[in-house]
Structures are given as C-alpha cells and as structure tokens.
Amino acid sequence: MALAVVVLVGVPFYLPAGSTHPMVLGVPYWVVISAVSTLLFAVLVTWACLYRWNIEEPEEEAGGDR
C-alpha cells in the first residue's frame, strides 16, 4: 500500500497543467516532488527486501542437512 501511495505522489498528475512556479533550487517544484518520491520508493523497497522478505527455504529454517 505504501509503495502505491509513493508512486502516485511521485507522478504529479494532480498539479495544474503547465505549472513551473515556484522554483526550488532552480528547478520546478514538481521535479523536487518526483525526486523525493523516487528516493522514498528506493528506501521502502530496500527496507522491504532487507527486513520483510523471507527467502529462506523450509529446510534451512528447520536446520536440517541434506
């Protein structure tokens, strides 16, 4: 669910068409929104892979040898 929200926020379809102001660090603010969203997406995927993805096989979990 969180990844879907980050992706939807990262695609600035909800902003007015042709809006380029205000500028943030010399770029339109929608670029900053997209860049922050991309960074947040990468952090969430990394967290999920490191802490939530169980890739151990059942034999490895049981500690059995072949």
Side-chain angles (χ1 to χ4, degrees):
M1 179 68 181
L3 290 177
V5 171
V6 169
V7 169
L8 288 175
V9 168
V11 181
F13 62 88
Y14 49 86
L15 299 175
S19 63
T20 58
H21 293 288
M23 301 290 268
V24 178
L25 299 175
V27 296
Y29 67 102
W30 61 265
V31 173
V32 176
I33 292 170
S34 292
V36 169
S37 178
T38 301
L39 181 65
L40 185 57
F41 181 83
V43 167
L44 282 171
V45 169
T46 301
W47 174 80
C49 288
L50 290 175
Y51 298 109
R52 293 294 185 185
W53 190 9
N54 184 8
I55 58 173
E56 294 182 4
E57 297 294 326
E59 307 91 45
E60 293 173 351
E61 289 178 354
D65 293 322
R66 289 186 180 197

